[in-house]
Amino acid sequence: MVKSIDVYKIGRIGKPHGVKGEMNFMFTDDVFDRTDSDYLIIETEGLLVPFFIEEYRFRSDETALLKLCDIDTQERAQQFTNCDVYFERDKADNADGELTWAQIIGFNLVNDSNGTTVGTIAAVDDSTINTLFEVVTPDGRRILVPASDDLITEVRADEKIISLQIPDGLLAL
């Protein structure tokens, strides 16, 4: 059984394309193209289910047409519309050895100055020049923390921990 802690979100399935089971795939990480994985994990009916890739072709830098094995009709492809697509963390392979922003979702963020856990990274907003971690604190609040490379002091991928030098007073806001 696939566990949510072992995967990270890389995109979402859009509407079917044509009548032979192809579907639009909007992705935020092209890891499926950079690795030799034969499958993607799709969340369907609340479960994370692996589906083998028959073929895909890029339409742009953020979309591809995806054909999964045994999905051969428009009606069957329609069942996947708006389903989230995931990739296994341990199969992700980056040539430069660095983690992508998408891969760190679920990591614990630790304040380097005092060693306390700030919370769990729920999302990364890199839509502006100032990248932010959206962190869920132990008491359930959502806070934004700068994700600058200058502030990151340590990344322990095997333990899913990122240590960050958090500016004084930021957590009190």
Side-chain angles (χ1 to χ4, degrees), residues 81-128:
T81 300
N82 293 324
C83 287
D84 290 331
V85 179
Y86 297 86
F87 199 81
E88 289 183 291
R89 289 182 195 276
D90 64 349
K91 292 194 184 281
D93 179 28
N94 294 322
D96 56 9
E98 293 185 20
L99 296 170
T100 65
W101 290 128
Q103 288 174 285
I104 66 166
I105 304 300
F107 277 41
N108 285 322
L109 186 66
V110 173
N111 187 345
D112 191 53
S113 63
N114 60 16
T116 61
T117 299
V118 176
T120 303
I121 299 171
V124 178
D125 180 357
D126 62 351
S127 61
T128 65

Side-chain angles (χ1 to χ4, degrees), residues 17-116:
H17 178 81
V19 296
K20 297 192 179 202
E22 271 191 320
M23 49 194 105
N24 286 292
F25 173 36
M26 291 85 56
F27 57 89
T28 55
D29 188 339
D30 66 352
V31 67
F32 63 95
D33 189 50
R34 297 190 318 262
T35 62
D36 290 330
S37 182
D38 296 328
Y39 61 91
L40 294 173
I41 298 168
I42 300 176
E43 184 174 11
T44 178
E45 299 179 12
L47 297 173
L48 295 171
V49 181
F51 286 90
F52 284 94
I53 301 169
E54 187 172 310
E55 65 180 348
Y56 63 89
R57 63 185 188 278
F58 290 100
R59 295 184 81 184
S60 71
D61 289 342
E62 298 173 344
T63 61
L65 291 177
L66 176 67
K67 175 75 172 72
L68 300 173
C69 292
D70 300 323
I71 309 298
D72 296 322
T73 66
Q74 181 180 16
E75 292 77 23
R76 182 75 171 107
Q78 179 72 38
Q79 295 174 340
F80 293 93
T81 300
N82 293 324
C83 287
D84 290 331
V85 179
Y86 297 86
F87 199 81
E88 289 183 291
R89 289 182 195 276
D90 64 349
K91 292 194 184 281
D93 179 28
N94 294 322
D96 56 9
E98 293 185 20
L99 296 170
T100 65
W101 290 128
Q103 288 174 285
I104 66 166
I105 304 300
F107 277 41
N108 285 322
L109 186 66
V110 173
N111 187 345
D112 191 53
S113 63
N114 60 16
T116 61

